[in-house]
Amino acid sequence: MSNVFEIKCIDKNRQFDPDNRITRIGGVLKGEPWSLSQAEAIARIESGTHKFWVSVGGISSWVVVATSSSGNKYIKTNIDREHPENLLRLPAC
């Protein structure tokens, strides 16, 4: 059984490459804030222990692990094309 978390915010760096911009994700669960690095989120998604979702512009979508053309893993939503557009639209944590 996995835990399901809504991502409400992100932290990002100033890199140009959208696949490497997200450093942390976060939200609130039962009134308590939570935060994970992108690497931690990837590990939890791949292990099947956690699922993450976002709601942007009234549209909800699941967060998935993708691999860039250079072989780096990153997170994006299942409705994004190549880059994590929906996650990058979230406010800063």
Side-chain angles (χ1 to χ4, degrees):
M1 182 176 187
S2 66
N3 296 306
V4 179
F5 294 86
E6 180 180 9
I7 300 171
K8 297 290 246 174
C9 62
I10 63 163
D11 286 330
K12 57 187 174 182
N13 59 33
R14 295 180 181 253
Q15 288 190 359
F16 178 74
D17 182 6
D19 303 341
N20 293 318
R21 290 192 66 195
I22 297 170
T23 57
R24 298 192 74 74
I25 59 171
V28 177
L29 182 66
K30 297 180 183 176
E32 294 295 322
W34 61 269
S35 175
L36 294 172
S37 71
Q38 178 171 233
E40 290 171 308
I42 289 169
R44 292 178 187 202
I45 292 168
E46 290 184 329
S47 72
T49 61
H50 291 70
K51 291 183 179 181
F52 300 95
W53 66 282
V54 298
S55 180
V56 176
I59 299 173
S60 297
S61 55
W62 291 106
V63 174
V64 297
V65 176
T67 305
S68 70
S69 59
S70 60
N72 296 321
K73 291 184 179 183
Y74 64 99
I75 55 175
K76 66 177 192 147
T77 68
N78 64 323
I79 61 174
D80 286 326
R81 290 195 169 115
E82 181 181 355
H83 301 294
E85 302 295 335
N86 285 313
L87 289 169
L88 291 171
R89 289 185 183 130
L90 295 174
C93 291

